[in-house]
């Protein structure tokens, strides 16, 4: 799979303050509130649980003992009491992650692609755009799980992460900056390619993986592909709406000077 490491920022005119703040909040929550992933009670209290969103009520379950392939028995914490309205977990879950690799990948994508979108939309619009895409992504996962769930227990599997909102950023980026150069890692080699190719291949992978879940009613490999697809489509649809009234890049004004 393609792994982006940089993009072309020559058109950026403003400091991406909101993007930096979003990254810092995600890191703060993961390190200090989730305890680098060890505070499972916090994680299981503020993650998005499809069954809670559908019913509108908080669900608390007992710890479950599971046995992995090595024969070891482990105790997985049950769903914890959620001290806020369950619908707000669509927001709180956007700032939590399942592990170091999870948050590193998400924050790298946000760092690379988010600054350009913030520059085009402006700080406040960018923040709203990010949150709306994330909420739509979360709802996409909830409804996909409800529609495809083969077992009722699938509705009790919590989801978390910023990838749904970041997928919305990618959707906006591919429309606004289709020919921007994005440097990606292919094996051990760094290769530049147009954004529409890099992001397009990413979306194709999400779509194929998501279609592979049809009928399974579960998250393949722990990845909520429906959230990625829903967030990306939301970003595609909303970016032009949020851009209304904003000044386009300076290249459109070259003839005036």
């Amino acid at each position: 799979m393609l792994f982006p490491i940089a993009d072309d920022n020559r058109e950026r005119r403003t400091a991406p303050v909101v993007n930096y703040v979003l990254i810092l909040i995600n890191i703060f929550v993961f390190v200090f509130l989730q305890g680098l992933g060890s505070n499972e009670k916090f994680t299981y209290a503020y993650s998005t649980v499809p069954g809670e969103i559908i019913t509108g009520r908080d669900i608390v379950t007992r710890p479950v003992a599971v046995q992995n392939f090595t024969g070891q028995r482990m105790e997985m914490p049950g769903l914890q009491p959620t001290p806020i309205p369950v619908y707000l977990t669509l927001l709180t879950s956007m700032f939590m992650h399942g592990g170091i690799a999870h948050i590193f990948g998400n924050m790298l994508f946000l760092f690379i692609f988010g600054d350009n979108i913030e520059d085009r939309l402006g700080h406040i619009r960018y923040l709203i755009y990010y949150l709306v895409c994330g909420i739509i992504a979360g709802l996409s996962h909830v409804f996909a799980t409800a529609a495809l769930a083969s077992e009722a227990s699938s509705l009790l599997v919590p989801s978390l992460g910023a990838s749904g909102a970041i997928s919305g950023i990618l959707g906006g980026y591919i429309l606004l900056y289709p020919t921007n150069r994005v440097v990606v890692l292919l094996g051990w080699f760094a290769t530049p390619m147009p954004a529409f190719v890099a992001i397009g291949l990413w979306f194709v992978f999400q779509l194929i993986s998501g279609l592979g879940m049809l009928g399974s009613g579960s998250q393949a490999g722990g990845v909520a592909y429906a959230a990625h697809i829903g967030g990306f489509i939301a970003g595609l649809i909303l970016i032009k709406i949020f851009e209304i009234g904003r000044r386009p890049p300076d290249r459109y004004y070259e003839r005036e000077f």
Side-chain angles (χ1 to χ4, degrees), residues 117-181:
I117 303 299
E118 180 177 351
D119 183 69
R120 182 70 71 91
L121 298 183
H123 305 307
I124 301 301
R125 289 194 192 192
Y126 172 69
L127 177 61
I128 297 173
Y129 174 81
Y130 179 89
L131 296 176
V132 170
C133 286
I135 292 172
I136 293 175
L139 290 173
S140 299
H141 168 69
V142 168
F143 294 139
T145 302
L148 302 175
S150 57
E151 299 178 359
S153 59
S154 297
L155 295 173
L156 302 181
V157 178
S159 65
L160 71 169
S163 53
I166 296 170
S167 298
I169 299 297
L170 297 180
Y173 195 101
I174 200 173
L175 274 186
L176 297 183
Y177 306 98
T179 59
N180 258 29
R181 186 182 68 170

Side-chain angles (χ1 to χ4, degrees), residues 179-191:
T179 59
N180 258 29
R181 186 182 68 170
V182 176
V183 180
V184 302
L185 284 180
L186 284 174
W188 295 102
F189 301 98
T191 304

